[in-house]
Amino acid sequence: MDHTITISGRDATFPAGSGQSVLEAALRANQWLPHACSQGTCGTCKIRVVCGEVEYGTADESILSQADRQAGLALACQSSPRTDVTVAPLEEGAPDGPVHMLRDHRGTVVELSEIACRTRRLVIELDDPMEFSAGQYAELIVPGRGIARQYSMANPPSESTRLEFHIRLTEGGLATERWIFASLAEGDRVDLRGPFGRFAIHDTYPEPAILIGGGTGLAPLKSMVRHALGNDLLPEIHLFHGGRRETDLYDVAYFRALEVADCRFHYHPVLSEENWDGATGMVTDAVVDNFASCKGYRGYLCGPPAMITAAVKALKRRRMAPRLIFREAFTTQQDVVSVPE
Ligand SMILES: Cc1cc2nc3c(=O)[nH]c(=O)nc-3n(C[C@H](O)[C@H](O)[C@H](O)COP(=O)(O)OP(=O)(O)OC[C@H]3O[C@@H](n4cnc5c(N)ncnc54)[C@H](O)[C@@H]3O)c2cc1C
Ligand code: FES
């Protein structure tokens, strides 16, 4: 049965379909609620249930403890209403750009290619455009399994009917090993929904930016680079991309050509396990080596949780203001019990 959700302090009441999470219902009604992973792994979406009852869903004790539940807290991305409810987000504050309505989409796979070791580029031509901000992600629906997985758009928002994703194989993964790397093929029809997330660039900023990506963490950064350069949003961009070996890097020719064509853009590929004619070591060490001080810069970090933790430390050590550090951790189901910070 459908119930209604009211957001406390806002003139906003909207329906939630059966089993729909509070977050999904809010975003479908164009009501922003703070969130990052949509997976129950980050805790960004904590809400207070002011009135009514929710089903908590699968929220790990490390993210939502028993004490939290007893205090009336829930995760908006995991909980669904059992009655009509009134909720209040713990963290207020809208994104500093447009809120895009969450919608279902269908599209056709027009490219599925191997671009690096265990990494594929998936391009989907949508039937209808998806409005999103550079850096946001969509959820691909795995056919027949009723599960969704998060993947960041690598194309700029101006290409709203042709979405590009960079997807890394996860051993035993339902979406990757058993679908995208197994049976998915060009011409297939795909269901997805989006956009989600608050990791985004949408405004003009006075500070130059340092972007750090590990593996397919490059995807949202590529969207940001293309969007920011195309719309003059940042005075200067340094993109660091880390991989273990040269075969982990991709779009190298694209970024090298961009560096030649646009003097605001600087590309720094870094390898941690192989000597080559470029930088070696951890990608975060390369940032520290290149910048005596990061004061006055903005930072955008994306990739595995351990890389994000190391990058935040490195940038703070180089005196980047914490309020100017933005991050997207590519957590998976495995990270539910061990999320940093
Ligand atoms: C905001 C966001 C954006 C992302 N963007 C990208 C992107 O652009 N590109 C990209 O490659 N990835 C991205 N990811 C990661 C992606 O969403 C998937 O998590 C990843 O592809 C693995 O999905 P899977 O279904 O193949 O694996 P899953 O089936 O989810 O399995 C993942 C791992 O967890 C283990 N596991 C599964 N269930 C459990 C359980 N119950 N307990 C313990 N361990 C378990 C599995 O053995 C496996 O090792 C993003 C994640 C987030 C949160
Ligand atoms: S958005 Fe809900 S836990 Fe991350």
Side-chain angles (χ1 to χ4, degrees):
M1 195 177 86
D2 285 7
H3 296 293
T4 61
I5 301 175
T6 302
I7 301 187
S8 175
R10 290 188 212 168
D11 188 15
T13 296
F14 45 88
S18 172
Q20 210 168 54
S21 73
V22 173
L23 177 66
E24 186 179 342
L27 296 179
R28 283 186 189 280
N30 216 21
Q31 286 295 320
W32 176 255
L33 283 179
H35 67 285
C37 71
S38 310
Q39 277 180 337
T41 53
C42 74
T44 311
C45 66
K46 270 187 194 166
I47 47 171
R48 186 173 301 284
V49 182
V50 179
C51 173
E53 284 177 30
V54 296
E55 204 77 67
Y56 286 95
T58 48
D60 190 83
E61 173 70 17
S62 63
I63 304 295
L64 187 79
S65 65
Q66 276 306 326
D68 283 341
R69 290 175 196 223
Q70 277 156 15
L73 303 184
L75 296 181
C77 74
Q78 299 299 306
S79 61
S80 52
R82 285 172 61 179
T83 63
D84 290 353
V85 292
T86 300
V87 301
L90 285 203
E91 201 186 290
E92 258 306 345
D96 64 350
V99 174
H100 305 289
M101 191 184 287
L102 171 65
R103 290 177 46 208
D104 294 322
H105 291 270
R106 285 209 94 199
T108 306
V109 176
V110 293
E111 181 187 334
L112 184 62
S113 54
E114 216 74 30
I115 49 172
C117 179
R118 300 153 71 93
T119 305
R120 289 189 169 180
R121 187 189 324 275
L122 167 64
V123 180
I124 300 174
E125 195 84 53
L126 295 181
D127 298 351
D128 300 300
M130 181 191 291
E131 308 296 333
F132 67 96
S133 296
Q136 285 194 294
Y137 64 91
E139 288 188 341
L140 297 188
I141 316 296
V142 183
R145 294 193 178 263
I147 60 159
R149 293 289 188 257
Q150 298 75 17
Y151 296 100
S152 306
M153 275 73 80
N155 55 295
S158 55
E159 297 171 5
S160 59
T161 53
R162 193 181 165 89
L163 304 187
E164 172 185 343
F165 301 97
H166 304 161
I167 300 179
R168 179 145 179 105
L169 176 73
T170 296
E171 212 79 49
L174 289 180
T176 56
E177 190 174 292
R178 301 209 197 148
W179 177 44
I180 296 165
F181 286 77
S183 56
L184 187 67
E186 290 175 8
D188 282 3
R189 299 285 286 162
V190 174
D191 291 303
L192 59 163
R193 58 182 172 234
F196 291 90
R198 61 177 184 174
F199 183 68
I201 282 185
H202 15 231
D203 216 338
T204 307
Y205 306 102
E207 304 91 3
I210 297 171
L211 278 50
I212 308 173
T216 48
L218 183 67
L221 305 184
K222 183 178 179 186
S223 174
M224 288 176 171
V225 166
R226 293 188 61 198
H227 183 59
L229 293 179
N231 294 280
D232 230 350
L233 302 183
L234 291 163
E236 196 182 9
I237 302 176
H238 288 266
L239 173 67
F240 290 82
H241 185 208
R244 288 184 187 164
R245 303 173 167 275
E246 206 166 347
T247 48
D248 291 328
L249 297 178
Y250 59 90
D251 286 348
V252 176
Y254 173 81
F255 287 116
R256 288 208 197 284
L258 192 57
E259 194 174 35
V260 171
D262 194 320
C263 62
R264 295 169 298 173
F265 177 68
H266 310 275
Y267 174 54
H268 311 263
V270 186
L271 298 183
S272 64
E273 288 182 7
E274 194 173 66
N275 285 323
W276 66 319
D277 56 2
T280 50
M282 301 308 286
V283 66
T284 45
D285 295 336
V287 177
V288 169
D289 291 346
N290 272 266
F291 290 88
S293 170
C294 297
K295 199 170 175 186
Y297 281 80
R298 309 172 74 79
Y300 293 90
L301 324 173
C302 186
M307 186 222 83
I308 303 279
T309 306
V312 169
K313 256 192 211 151
L315 293 177
K316 284 186 180 166
R317 204 154 37 123
R318 284 288 187 253
R319 307 193 56 214
M320 186 178 285
R323 70 181 170 82
L324 293 181
I325 302 177
F326 305 91
R327 52 189 121 158
E328 184 90 285
F330 279 2
T331 46
T332 70
Q333 298 303 308
Q334 216 164 18
D335 298 301
V336 172
V337 288
S338 58
V339 176
E341 263 189 284

